Amino acid sequence: MKNSLKIVSTVFFLLFLSNAYSLPVNQNELESAGTIDSVSFESYSGPHKIVESADTIRGIGSSLGTLLATPSESVTLSLNPKYTVVHAVDPNETQKLDADIFIVNSTATVDHIDNLRRIISGFLVSAYGYSQKDADTLAVFITVYNAVYRSKMDFWNSRYKDVVTKNLTQEKAGLALSYTQWPGATQIVIPLGEVVDGGLSTVDTSAISDKNVISSMQEDNDKGIDARKDLVNIKEREAEIAAEKAVEAKKTETESQKALENEQAKLPELKRDAALNPEDENKQKTVRQSEDRIQKLKEEIAASAQKAKEQQAKADKKSTEAVSERSQIAGDQQKIVNAQDEQIVPVFALKLSNEEKQLSKLVKINSLTGKTLKESPVTMIHSRTFYKTGDKFLAIAGQSKGNAAVKLVLLDSEKMDVTSQSEEDIAENSVLVKINESYLCVISENKKYYIGKFDEKLNLICKSETAVNKATPITVLEKTIYVTNDKGSLIQLSADDLKEL
């Protein structure tokens, strides 16, 4: 799914739930939420000093999830100073939602929305037993939901219990759009439905897929079709499970009713027998036990009837949502098909992304219309230069901050994301020059700088023995390369092996 979020300017429209699953609509709160502008997640998509696997990143959330031993009790979970989860539940308050609050602390280095979602997914798998596929789907909606309602304290207060909102602050509640604002300023709210033995219904899927969230996804080029289909699939399974629970509860109610009738039928005789034998303590005790069983059975019948009603209401709700959303998805798929009828001749160009730092990003354009088809998530291409090599693009990209690094990278032609990076660090203001089938740029090594020659797979072929100025131009004239050394003098290097001539 693309990370673009388009939020319609409208009052918030909340779904009605039944009984224990319902919340009264607070019209003043809805109107106070105001409008939300069109936004998009900004992730760092350049090279890194240390590249961690997806499984390692999921493991961060998984480790937190294993600490949740008793879901029915509030607890704070933390294994390291980077991430904290506040499991905020209160069984005594029934009209609003419980939640897990996933906190990104100031020491965290997560800088891409995909990795943030992997951490959340790992937590859901470990804490509540979700499959990875379902957890991945929920993580997409959870992040979009929290971006839509970022800092909207009126919204959080109207929907969530006090045990949740007392842990939220306006400047941190929800998810900021830029990764630069995540550390120390992120409180991701994960709405909880059935906290104990909830299974698929542990996370409230209706809450995280409300009208505003779906509207935002519909503004993506792919309209979030895949993620939306996956969530509908979860809701359909939720409906099936809830219907089964309703049937089981109804069966328990019927059995308890029969037991109650039998017990009530025996009680008059027991009372007569006890009245005729007032000194017989056992007979008096038998009457009291029968009356206690009758009271207990009445309570069981009432509880089973309520559970059957609630679960059937939930089954109907989830089923209705699934049918409606499948219809929406079908309509959006047709819109995509209609859009594909447009004749396209794609070309690629650089678009300025940061004038001050002279950084760029790769853009795919329909040359017949000039329409932008897609923009690369990599927004930090240096030297305003890129080269096509096979089905990929070679460029210098990144930043020298945190775990990020400036490297020579290859971008694919579809997503225009980084597929591989050089082992060597590159000077931030290095030029990039092609010579035959090789590429020249300035390598950064132990606070010294050298000219490096790379092949199209980003392997270092050779580097100069002579240190150069980090901002040196690179001029290629036949077999000779002209650069400025670290003393400020113009020198000649061999184009073959970069040795000084």
Side-chain angles (χ1 to χ4, degrees):
M1 160 187 158
K2 280 180 57 187
N3 295 326
S4 172
L5 301 175
K6 173 71 177 179
I7 315 304
V8 295
S9 298
T10 183
V11 296
F12 295 120
F13 180 74
L14 299 179
L15 295 172
F16 285 94
L17 302 179
S18 299
N19 301 316
Y21 297 95
S22 67
L23 293 173
V25 176
N26 184 324
Q27 190 64 31
N28 291 333
E29 186 277 326
L30 298 184
E31 292 173 352
S32 70
T35 60
I36 306 174
D37 295 329
S38 175
V39 294
S40 60
F41 283 118
E42 177 194 351
S43 295
Y44 173 71
S45 296
H48 291 83
K49 294 175 183 176
I50 300 174
V51 180
E52 295 180 320
S53 68
D55 288 342
T56 299
I57 295 168
R58 288 181 192 279
I60 297 171
S62 178
S63 296
L64 284 167
T66 58
L67 299 178
L68 184 60
T70 310
S72 60
E73 297 179 3
S74 293
V75 65
T76 298
L77 314 173
S78 182
L79 273 179
N80 57 56
K82 294 184 178 181
Y83 305 96
T84 302
V85 174
V86 177
H87 181 67
V89 296
D90 182 1
N92 297 318
E93 186 179 357
T94 59
Q95 294 303 305
K96 293 184 180 182
L97 292 169
D98 296 304
D100 286 329
I101 305 171
F102 188 91
I103 300 171
V104 181
N105 296 319
S106 59
T107 53
T109 57
V110 61
D111 56 14
H112 199 289
I113 191 64
D114 289 347
N115 287 336
L116 186 57
R117 286 169 175 168
R118 289 184 179 110
I119 297 171
I120 294 171
S121 173
F123 172 77
L124 296 177
V125 169
S126 182
Y128 302 118
Y130 280 99
S131 70
Q132 182 175 308
K133 179 177 175 59
D134 288 343
D136 286 350
T137 299
L138 294 174
V140 169
F141 279 85
I142 287 166
T143 50
V144 174
Y145 174 71
N146 276 269
V148 167
Y149 297 112
R150 168 73 167 176
S151 297
K152 299 287 181 179
M153 284 307 300
D154 285 345
F155 173 80
W156 300 121
N157 287 327
S158 72
R159 291 282 279 167
Y160 289 86
K161 299 178 182 180
D162 291 344
V163 71
V164 176
T165 56
K166 73 179 184 180
N167 289 288
L168 301 178
T169 57
Q170 183 165 4
E171 65 273 15
K172 297 181 181 181
L175 179 62
L177 301 172
S178 172
Y179 72 97
T180 61
Q181 298 176 47
W182 294 347
T186 300
Q187 297 170 333
I188 296 174
V189 179
I190 303 174
L192 300 179
E194 297 182 36
V195 178
V196 180
D197 300 324
L200 277 179
S201 296
T202 303
V203 174
D204 191 323
T205 53
S206 298
I208 61 174
S209 61
D210 70 12
K211 183 178 180 180
N212 287 323
V213 172
I214 297 301
S215 294
S216 72
M217 291 183 168
Q218 288 175 316
E219 293 302 318
D220 296 345
N221 287 341
D222 64 1
K223 299 188 180 299
I225 295 294
D226 290 342
R228 289 165 62 195
K229 280 184 177 179
D230 289 339
L231 192 70
V232 169
N233 179 271
I234 292 175
K235 287 186 177 182
E236 288 172 341
R237 283 180 281 144
E238 282 186 280
E240 292 174 3
I241 293 170
E244 291 171 0
K245 287 181 178 180
V247 170
E248 189 63 31
K250 197 67 180 175
K251 180 181 177 182
T252 300
E253 179 190 356
T254 301
E255 292 172 350
S256 297
Q257 183 64 44
K258 289 180 180 178
L260 174 63
E261 292 170 359
N262 291 336
E263 195 66 39
Q264 287 175 326
K266 292 189 299 182
L267 183 59
E269 184 177 348
L270 294 175
K271 285 184 173 181
R272 284 193 299 271
D273 195 17
L276 293 172
N277 299 277
E279 303 300 325
D280 190 334
E281 182 58 33
N282 287 332
K283 293 185 183 297
Q284 312 306 319
K285 182 178 180 181
T286 299
V287 170
R288 290 194 299 270
Q289 290 175 335
S290 178
E291 290 174 336
D292 288 344
R293 282 195 294 271
I294 288 173
Q295 181 58 35
K296 184 177 180 181
L297 286 168
K298 287 181 178 179
E299 292 172 357
E300 290 178 355
I301 290 169
S304 296
Q306 180 65 15
K307 182 177 180 180
K309 183 179 179 181
E310 290 173 355
Q311 290 297 327
Q312 188 57 54
K314 178 180 176 182
D316 294 342
K317 172 182 172 53
K318 296 296 180 181
S319 180
T320 299
E321 287 182 10
V323 170
S324 174
E325 288 164 20
R326 282 209 180 277
S327 176
Q328 279 186 319
I329 289 170
D332 287 340
Q333 285 178 309
Q334 187 58 51
K335 291 177 182 178
I336 292 174
V337 171
N338 294 341
Q340 290 173 344
D341 291 339
E342 177 185 349
Q343 186 178 359
I344 296 174
V345 178
V347 294
F348 294 85
L350 288 179
K351 177 182 177 181
L352 190 66
S353 58
N354 187 313
E355 181 179 1
E356 181 181 355
K357 296 183 179 180
Q358 297 186 349
L359 299 174
S360 309
K361 60 181 173 181
L362 195 62
V363 179
K364 184 178 181 180
I365 302 166
N366 182 359
S367 62
L368 298 180
T369 63
K371 177 183 177 181
T372 296
L373 303 175
K374 186 175 179 61
E375 295 188 358
S376 171
V378 182
T379 61
M380 297 182 180
I381 292 179
H382 294 253
S383 79
R384 292 171 286 180
T385 305
F386 74 101
Y387 294 98
K388 193 173 190 314
T389 170
D391 61 348
K392 293 183 171 58
F393 300 96
L394 187 148
I396 299 170
Q399 64 178 351
S400 298
K401 183 179 180 181
N403 187 41
V406 179
K407 304 271 188 179
L408 204 58
V409 300
L410 289 176
L411 310 176
D412 66 68
S413 55
E414 289 299 321
K415 296 181 179 179
M416 293 184 282
D417 209 345
V418 175
T419 60
S420 57
Q421 63 182 49
S422 63
E423 293 184 7
E424 295 75 18
D425 291 335
I426 309 299
E428 284 196 63
N429 49 357
S430 171
V431 295
L432 178 62
V433 176
K434 184 176 182 180
I435 175 172
N436 298 322
E437 298 305 315
S438 303
Y439 301 88
L440 301 174
C441 58
V442 179
I443 296 174
S444 175
E445 187 177 286
N446 298 323
K447 298 184 179 180
K448 300 283 284 184
Y449 301 92
Y450 305 90
I451 301 298
K453 179 193 283 191
F454 293 82
D455 64 20
E456 62 182 13
K457 294 183 178 180
L458 310 185
N459 298 310
L460 181 64
I461 300 170
C462 60
K463 71 172 186 176
S464 66
E465 296 175 351
T466 306
V468 300
N469 185 290
K470 63 181 179 181
T472 180
I474 299 176
T475 305
V476 180
L477 297 175
E478 297 182 352
K479 291 286 187 177
T480 304
I481 297 171
Y482 293 85
V483 296
T484 303
N485 67 13
D486 58 354
K487 303 292 192 301
S489 300
L490 189 67
I491 61 171
Q492 296 175 299
L493 303 178
S494 166
D496 294 326
D497 57 13
L498 301 183
K499 292 186 181 298
E500 188 170 354
L501 298 176

